[in-house]
Amino acid sequence: MASLSVGMACLGLVLCMVVVPSLATVYNVGDASGWATGVDYSSWASDKTFEVGDSLVFNYPTSHTVEEVSSSDYSACTVGKAISTDSTGATTINLKTAGTHYFICGVAGHCENGMKLAVKVESSSSSSSTGKPSTTSPSTTTTTKIPDSSSSWSLSPVLAFVTTWVALCVMMVVS
């Protein structure tokens, strides 16, 4: 009887380790079009729910930039006052704070031609929130190459399956 309880506890622990980290979503901005002129980013974002812990991946030629800006700079397409900026061609933005985050291309004329994205980030159910969304706190910017797809789990489903299988085997051996 005690070995069954230990086995169930092990299974619960493994499932928590697998499920909780996999809840973050990685969004490839613009899907197959990437970060480019001529894409309607408002429509792209309209059916998505962004949460703290999710990531935005911008894939683009180095003739563009990704700049996180204030609400007013977003509305006016003001360049040169970015909170953060990157021009490497593969930019990952980790959404660390709730609130609306604003991104534009800093190349002259590109923002005015639609290369701008506003995402409303909600507090995730597993993070603590003060109830005061932030619109000026910068997100973390890193450069990464990620395969093209709209979104993906941050943990491989195969790894989750194997980990669960191993936990079940351990539970069988213990009992």
Side-chain angles (χ1 to χ4, degrees):
M1 195 60 107
S3 63
L4 181 60
S5 296
V6 170
M8 292 303 282
C10 287
L11 178 61
L13 180 62
V14 168
L15 287 176
C16 286
M17 291 177 2
V18 170
V19 173
V20 172
S22 68
L23 296 177
T25 303
V26 177
Y27 294 95
N28 286 310
V29 175
D31 297 327
S33 299
W35 185 236
T37 55
V39 178
D40 183 354
Y41 293 104
S42 294
S43 292
W44 175 83
S46 67
D47 64 345
K48 295 169 180 56
T49 302
F50 302 96
E51 292 187 348
V52 170
D54 290 347
S55 298
L56 299 175
V57 176
F58 294 81
N59 290 308
Y60 54 97
T62 56
S63 57
H64 297 298
T65 66
V66 176
E67 296 187 4
E68 185 170 5
V69 296
S70 68
S71 173
S72 59
D73 289 344
Y74 173 85
S75 297
C77 287
T78 303
V79 296
K81 295 171 122 194
I83 297 168
S84 65
T85 186
D86 190 52
S87 61
T88 61
T91 304
T92 300
I93 305 290
N94 298 313
L95 301 171
K96 292 188 166 196
T97 59
T100 305
H101 296 266
Y102 302 93
F103 304 94
I104 65 171
C105 178
V107 175
H110 289 196
C111 178
E112 291 86 348
N113 288 322
M115 254 182 109
K116 58 197 274 184
L117 170 67
V119 296
K120 183 178 181 196
V121 180
E122 299 175 0
S123 295
S124 64
S125 56
S126 63
S127 70
S128 62
S129 173
T130 62
K132 297 179 183 175
S134 168
T135 57
T136 57
S137 297
S139 302
T140 303
T141 305
T142 55
T143 302
T144 291
K145 286 286 185 189
I146 300 225
D148 288 338
S149 71
S150 178
S151 64
S152 61
W153 294 105
S154 61
L155 183 64
S156 165
V158 174
L159 181 59
F161 174 77
V162 169
T163 305
T164 304
W165 185 81
V166 168
L168 288 172
C169 289
V170 167
M171 192 171 82
M172 297 290 245
V173 168
V174 170
S175 61

